Amino acid sequence: MTAWAISMREFHAIEIKHHLGYFVGLGLLCWLISIPGTILGYLLAGMVPAYITLGLVFINPLFFLLTFTEVKPWINRIALLLGCIFGPIFFIVDRDTSLLTSGLVAGTIAYFIDRKYLRKKAGVIG
């Protein structure tokens, strides 16, 4: 998600023929950093005081919100808003898959809103 959001912000200044290389390079860098960080976090999770753990829970949603403020298309903001609405609902239904399910449903609805109402014609962003 990070590579996609940064790419969406930067692609306007990069030649089209370099988009794929930029995205793949950035994505690989994100993976190379996040995988060891995830393993380290998993191994150290039991050693961190509970109040710090609770504070860290909010970093991921905050990161998503701040990342999406940089991405200009309205459809992304609509998807984020719908995710905020569906997230708590799906959390009540099934805690284990609520993030995945709310993202899938919110993103799909936002996609159809974009296709039906926001784009002037298919294939044209605007």
Side-chain angles (χ1 to χ4, degrees):
M1 199 292 294
T2 302
W4 173 81
I6 292 172
S7 295
M8 290 291 290
R9 186 182 64 206
E10 300 296 329
F11 273 180
H12 73 280
I14 300 171
E15 290 183 49
I16 292 176
K17 65 181 180 180
H18 297 299
H19 283 192
L20 180 61
Y22 180 86
F23 179 76
V24 169
L26 184 60
L28 283 173
L29 180 64
C30 289
W31 275 69
L32 289 172
I33 293 170
S34 67
I35 291 174
T38 300
I39 293 169
L40 184 64
Y42 177 79
L43 294 174
L44 297 177
M47 299 178 203
V48 177
Y51 64 91
I52 292 177
T53 303
L54 289 173
L56 291 173
V57 166
F58 294 102
I59 287 180
N60 195 30
L62 181 62
F63 174 75
F64 281 121
L65 287 170
L66 292 174
T67 301
F68 272 101
T69 60
E70 297 276 334
V71 178
K72 297 300 181 205
W74 268 98
I75 191 60
N76 299 328
R77 295 176 184 165
I78 292 171
L80 184 64
L81 176 66
L82 289 173
C84 290
I85 293 168
F86 287 120
I89 295 168
F90 285 117
F91 183 79
I92 292 169
V93 174
D94 182 20
R95 293 178 179 196
D96 292 336
T97 62
S98 61
L99 184 61
L100 177 64
T101 308
S102 61
L104 181 65
V105 171
T108 302
I109 292 171
Y111 173 80
F112 286 114
I113 289 172
D114 182 43
R115 286 292 176 179
K116 180 82 174 164
Y117 301 107
L118 299 179
R119 291 189 187 211
K120 293 173 182 59
K121 61 181 182 177
V124 177
I125 297 173

